[in-house]
Amino acid sequence: MSTLYQLLLKLDVSDLEAAKSAWESLARKLETAHKDHRRHVTGPLANWHGDSAKAGKPVLDTLQGQLEAAHVDALLIATVLDTAAVNMKQAQTDLKNAIKSAEQDDYVIDDTTGQVSLPQWLIDAHHDPDQATVLPDYTKAMTGHQDKINQAIKDAKKASDDGEKAIGDVRAQLLDEEDALGQTAVEARDVAKHLGIGPYGIPDGKDVKENAEWWKHLSHDEQQTYIAMYPKQIGALDGLPAVARDEANRLLLDQYLNPAPPDHTINADQFNKQQDGLRALKKKLDAADGAPKGRELYLLKLRQEGDGRAIVAMGNPDTAKNTAVLVPGVNSDLRGAGGEIDRINALRSSARKIHPNESTAVISWLDYDPPNENVFDSDFDLGVVSTGRAKEGGEALRHFTEGTRAAQGGHHSNLTVIGHSYGSTTVGAGAAGGHGLGADNIIAVGSPGMTVKHAGDLNIDPKHVFIGAAKDDPIINNFAGASLGSDTRNDTFGARHFKVDTSGHSGYWDYINGQPSESLTNQGRIITGEPITTTPARNPDRYSGNIPNPFPNVPQGIK
């Protein structure tokens, strides 16, 4: 203990701080190298085919993963060094304060051992009859001073030992392993455990403005450390910049695709289904890495559990003049990510054709569990004719649009929220609750209902609620007005109706003879604030209940 006392008293952590800064600098260089490789090498070569591609692409993908893993490792090492330096410096401060406090009370501190002795005047007064009276109190206080000194030394030793163990968690041979990115998740968890670092500083996410302010006041290196250690929490935090969420979620995606250790909580079929969805999403993201400005993709949220969830933006919603959010309907999961991204690309292209000089971002928002055909909710209601999932999803959608506004700061983008099929039910539930979606426009296409009777119930001027309905849309013709709210086609609903020239339930984003359909063009007009071509609303029809059974395997009559 005496040697440690002297070492701590003379401790100089400047070398640790310098090493921490050097590793942070290296991490920034690796971060740049990884992003440049993704945007300028693998991105532009996404459509590379042939024998050369078969040989070269795996090498490039491996290199990209190694750069990302090295970036994470450099941040972890910098975090270990910084934590050790801070904790040891704090222990030194505690030691000096304990010494000062003891000396102010006249106790004597041995310069070599740190041993606390009684005040000299009390020792000299051994013949004084009052000494016996005060001695117990002084002895007790002496023990207290000694305990503080000993505790400071123990804290310093623990900081040193924890740092040594945490450094050992970052394995030098990691980059040679096929599952390097999966292993970084394990390393980050182990480092956090040994250092006693938890995600305690991260906001609980409920207040999007608080989230935005917290992130804004972190340094770049602090932000990068949070992303490296807690990508899932950071990537899901509404209110944070799109760039930060994208970086966190791409790291999370790569870690999910390189699971280590394997997740044994699900069966093989479910695991393979998840991996298929993740690979489909990654393929689309990789293909867009070399895209021109405005068409780049941002992964704003990712969840692999169940059928998977993802929020993907084309264009940066934090800075775009116009922003649209597309909410998909039934049977949507990660395996269909490619189709959803094609749709937001069509919407963005339509808006850009109308206003080429205005920036437009379009978001595919799959952050709820849409019902599948023949799937029952826990209360035995048929999911596709129940508002339960829509209301749950509507709350999440409302939180997301609030977060989008918070991330934009003082910039107010023209925000349009579009719901397709059961997604329009979710949009309706979100708009009807709380203070609404904060949208400038709401569009419903192929809608079986929006959970409300009138467009005026959506916390928005009904003149800014737009309905698109194909005449042969089977979902509208079979379900509109049944159990998910009023039939949005009716004039009594109070919305505006735009011309639809496409067919079926999924044709609202189609091209006709190589040109954007009027259905698609009208959505582009709404997104950019331009007049639409309209069609009359129909007169109210009474719902008879005698509809064809679209789900023959499900018994009817369930209400």
Side-chain angles (χ1 to χ4, degrees), residues 107-187:
Y107 290 92
V108 178
I109 312 296
D110 188 281
D111 292 338
T112 302
T113 65
Q115 185 67 39
V116 182
S117 301
L118 289 169
Q120 190 60 45
W121 64 262
L122 186 59
I123 296 173
D124 293 342
H126 61 279
H127 295 301
D128 190 329
D130 292 334
Q131 186 204 45
T133 303
V134 300
L135 186 60
D137 290 337
Y138 271 89
T139 301
K140 182 179 179 180
M142 179 182 70
T143 301
H145 288 304
Q146 188 69 66
D147 288 344
K148 290 179 180 179
I149 290 173
N150 294 344
Q151 186 61 51
I153 295 171
K154 289 179 182 177
D155 290 344
K157 187 176 187 307
K158 184 177 186 303
S160 178
D161 292 344
D162 289 347
E164 182 181 3
K165 292 175 183 176
I167 284 288
D169 292 328
V170 184
R171 305 203 320 275
Q173 70 274 23
L174 175 70
L175 299 185
D176 296 328
E177 300 178 8
E178 291 184 3
D179 60 346
L181 282 166
Q183 289 292 342
T184 59
V186 178
E187 287 182 344

Side-chain angles (χ1 to χ4, degrees), residues 156-378:
K157 187 176 187 307
K158 184 177 186 303
S160 178
D161 292 344
D162 289 347
E164 182 181 3
K165 292 175 183 176
I167 284 288
D169 292 328
V170 184
R171 305 203 320 275
Q173 70 274 23
L174 175 70
L175 299 185
D176 296 328
E177 300 178 8
E178 291 184 3
D179 60 346
L181 282 166
Q183 289 292 342
T184 59
V186 178
E187 287 182 344
R189 184 174 66 244
D190 291 343
V191 166
K193 178 181 178 181
H194 280 133
L195 296 182
I197 300 174
Y200 316 117
I202 301 175
D204 60 16
K206 295 178 181 178
D207 188 330
V208 296
K209 292 182 179 179
E210 178 185 316
N211 300 343
E213 285 298 309
W214 169 74
W215 187 257
K216 186 169 64 176
H217 287 90
L218 295 176
S219 69
H220 175 77
D221 291 328
E222 289 171 332
Q223 291 172 352
Q224 287 296 304
T225 300
Y226 273 112
I227 289 172
M229 298 189 75
Y230 302 106
K232 186 174 183 178
Q233 291 91 328
I234 297 301
L237 214 54
D238 289 333
L240 266 58
V243 172
R245 295 183 71 171
D246 176 63
E247 185 175 352
N249 285 313
R250 283 181 187 254
L251 172 59
L252 186 64
L253 173 59
D254 287 338
Q255 290 176 345
Y256 282 161
L257 284 169
N258 294 271
D263 187 351
H264 296 297
T265 62
I266 59 175
N267 61 44
D269 289 342
Q270 181 67 16
F271 175 78
N272 291 333
K273 181 180 178 182
Q274 289 177 354
Q275 290 288 300
D276 287 345
L278 294 170
R279 279 191 290 268
L281 177 60
K282 183 171 174 58
K283 183 177 180 180
K284 274 292 185 180
L285 292 172
D286 288 348
D289 278 340
K293 184 175 176 60
R295 291 191 60 195
E296 65 271 30
L297 295 181
Y298 297 86
L299 184 55
L300 303 183
K301 190 169 183 180
L302 178 66
R303 192 194 77 172
Q304 71 167 344
E305 294 81 11
D307 291 337
R309 298 182 184 183
I311 305 175
V312 181
M314 178 174 286
N316 191 336
D318 299 344
T319 58
K321 179 176 176 59
N322 307 299
T323 300
V325 180
L326 175 62
V327 182
V330 296
N331 298 326
S332 298
D333 58 32
L334 282 184
R335 291 175 297 175
E340 295 302 326
I341 292 173
D342 289 342
R343 287 179 178 179
I344 63 175
N345 181 39
L347 284 166
R348 181 188 173 278
S349 297
S350 176
R352 291 279 292 170
K353 188 170 184 179
I354 296 167
H355 279 292
N357 296 323
E358 290 184 359
S359 57
T360 297
V362 186
I363 301 167
S364 170
W365 188 89
L366 178 58
D367 194 22
Y368 78 117
D369 288 321
N372 298 313
E373 293 181 6
N374 300 346
V375 172
F376 288 88
D377 286 335
S378 58

Side-chain angles (χ1 to χ4, degrees), residues 543-556:
Y543 170 64
S544 67
N546 298 318
I547 62 173
N549 182 359
F551 305 122
N553 296 323
V554 177
Q556 298 298 288

